[in-house]
Amino acid sequence: MDLQESSAGTDIIHEPGSCSAQFPLRDEPFHDNSNNLTQAGNQQELTREEDFSEVKVNFQETFLGHTSPISRCCFSASGDNIASSSLDGTVRIWTYDSSSPSSRNATIYCGAEIMSLDWECRSDRLLLIGTADGGIKAWNADAKRVVADLSTSKEYPSVLDIKCSPVEPIFVSAAASKRRGSTILDRAGFASLTVWNMKLLKPVTVLPLGEDPPAITSLCFNHNGKILAAAATDGMIHMFDMSAGLQITGWPAHDTAVSSVKFGPAETSIFSLGSDGKIFEWSLHNQGQILWSRDCNKFCNLESLNRCRHEIALDADGKRLLVTSGLVRAPIYEVQGQMSGLKSLPHSAAITSVDWHPTNNMFITGSADHSVRVTSII
């Protein structure tokens, strides 16, 4: 058993691979470097971290099954299961609700750093795992076994992201060549985007990106799977028509690498996070128009990029945007509303991965302290 002592002196016992209700009781400072000036077009907004209220928690559970910093974590399509990976090369599937069946709970040993995870969108049955050595594993959660062990080409070994279509039995992998660099994004070289058939578990086609394209860091489908957005290390966002297999548009979204993209819930906009910490909401009706922006450079600093690739997660209504953090708390920005934002309860190290429940007011945070937390907020 793992014995962890809370700051209040209460002993909480955790079985490896289990969940336990736990509230961090110490109140670590939410660091503020005076004022943070955000500019977007003609808009100037002053946001200060002390304006952020701490989230009001309905319940929170902590998973302590990992032995290394968390690299990825995500809810399944139903939200009942969670997959989380750590730098020790393992993926764990687990449940946070004691009323949910735990028959799918498992540990998957991949033998390499896990860089991407995604669940099949039409069920909770298949989990796709992308690694740093060019591997893509398909894990059947019902059968509790790897049903396919795929490989990208030797030229593109880093599987930076994987996304399943919400409608068609396909998924897309964003793989990259390797080069020397100080951060995760700097070490990603040229890009390759491959479309795979999920039934045959074979590559179908390669999406065109031009000659020697910069690495693709993040992918997202729209609701019917007809459009794929892909973010790149040169600051570009590319949009693909999946039925034609062609790029239909693209624009320079950031002066630095884009580390995460998400469609807004109405799909009239798309959110992007740059490695410089700038967040933009882009209009899809008027390309290049910024609808909303924030600067979270205090959280997404270059030092924290040595440990993780920063990402964003939207709630089901598209009203709140959760961001990974080089600090112990994650910021939650109010996209719609008068509040500046919220702050999560603290981990004891940087927050390296985030996701929002597909329907409920609940999110998960993975941390460099080896823990994953499920937080339901009021």
Side-chain angles (χ1 to χ4, degrees):
M1 290 187 177
D2 292 339
L3 186 64
Q4 178 171 317
E5 186 173 331
S6 74
S7 58
T10 303
D11 292 336
I12 305 173
I13 299 176
H14 303 270
E15 293 284 357
S18 67
C19 294
S20 177
Q22 178 187 2
F23 289 88
L25 300 178
R26 58 180 175 167
D27 190 12
E28 295 174 82
F30 198 57
H31 303 291
D32 178 38
N33 298 324
S34 67
N35 295 336
N36 181 33
L37 193 61
T38 302
Q39 290 182 321
N42 296 324
Q43 181 187 17
Q44 282 190 338
E45 184 166 352
L46 195 65
T47 59
R48 296 181 301 172
E49 291 164 14
E50 62 261 30
D51 295 335
F52 287 10
S53 302
E54 188 170 79
V55 292
K56 295 181 179 179
V57 174
N58 182 28
F59 75 85
Q60 184 177 79
E61 295 189 14
T62 300
F63 179 79
L64 294 176
H66 290 287
T67 60
S68 295
I70 306 302
S71 57
R72 302 282 98 183
C73 58
C74 56
F75 284 104
S76 62
S78 69
D80 291 339
N81 298 108
I82 292 173
S84 54
S85 62
S86 65
L87 297 183
D88 62 7
T90 63
V91 177
R92 290 178 180 261
I93 297 174
W94 48 282
T95 57
Y96 56 90
D97 187 347
S98 59
S99 64
S100 298
S102 58
S103 58
R104 289 180 170 177
N105 288 10
T107 302
I108 308 161
Y109 298 91
C110 297
E113 179 185 349
I114 292 95
M115 307 196 77
S116 49
L117 293 173
D118 197 35
W119 288 90
E120 178 188 12
C121 296
R122 296 172 298 164
S123 75
D124 291 357
R125 186 176 65 255
L126 205 65
L127 175 69
L128 297 171
I129 306 164
T131 68
D133 65 354
I136 299 175
K137 294 182 185 294
W139 174 267
N140 187 304
D142 290 333
K144 283 192 166 184
R145 64 184 182 90
V146 173
V147 293
D149 212 337
L150 313 172
S151 295
T152 62
S153 64
K154 293 181 179 179
E155 291 80 13
Y156 303 99
S158 298
V159 185
L160 296 179
D161 204 7
I162 291 179
K163 278 294 177 291
C164 297
S165 168
V167 177
E168 300 296 328
I170 62 170
F171 70 89
V172 179
S173 65
S177 61
K178 290 184 178 180
R179 63 182 183 183
R180 293 182 178 179
S182 58
T183 72
I184 288 175
L185 296 179
D186 288 340
R187 292 191 289 271
F190 298 126
S192 176
L193 274 182
T194 305
V195 182
W196 303 75
N197 184 301
M198 292 185 72
K199 292 182 177 178
L200 301 176
L201 292 169
K202 291 183 178 180
V204 176
T205 187
V206 175
L207 296 176
L209 283 168
E211 186 176 353
D212 296 336
I216 298 297
T217 58
S218 180
L219 302 169
C220 64
F221 278 99
N222 73 333
H223 75 284
N224 60 15
K226 291 184 178 180
I227 304 296
L228 176 76
T233 54
D234 64 351
M236 289 288 294
I237 294 176
H238 306 275
M239 307 288 279
F240 292 88
D241 180 337
M242 293 303 293
S243 59
L246 296 173
Q247 184 173 173
I248 52 176
T249 189
W251 67 94
H254 292 264
D255 294 331
T256 59
V258 187
S259 61
S260 188
V261 288
K262 295 285 182 184
F263 277 104
E267 297 187 353
T268 57
S269 66
I270 192 167
F271 291 83
S272 64
L273 170 65
S275 62
D276 56 1
K278 290 183 172 63
I279 306 170
F280 296 125
E281 181 186 9
W282 300 93
S283 170
L284 293 178
H285 294 315
N286 299 299
Q287 185 172 303
Q289 180 185 359
I290 297 172
L291 303 175
W292 176 88
S293 71
R294 288 293 183 273
D295 190 335
C296 61
N297 178 260
K298 294 181 179 69
F299 312 102
C300 303
N301 50 53
L302 289 176
E303 181 182 351
S304 59
L305 275 171
N306 293 324
R307 299 187 293 268
C308 68
R309 184 173 75 251
H310 285 294
E311 59 186 2
I312 53 179
L314 273 172
D315 70 357
D317 298 324
K319 294 181 179 179
R320 291 174 174 175
L321 185 141
L322 174 66
V323 191
T324 51
S325 174
L327 306 179
V328 298
R329 297 179 186 263
I332 305 170
Y333 292 97
E334 295 281 350
V335 180
Q336 302 172 23
Q338 301 302 315
M339 292 179 61
S340 298
L342 300 168
K343 54 188 177 184
S344 70
L345 300 186
H347 281 265
S348 58
I351 297 170
T352 54
S353 186
V354 295
D355 194 23
W356 212 289
H357 192 281
T359 56
N360 296 337
N361 205 15
M362 180 186 303
F363 59 84
I364 51 176
T365 51
S367 173
D369 66 10
H370 309 179
S371 72
V372 185
R373 285 183 179 158
V374 182
T375 305
S376 172
I377 61 176
I378 300 172

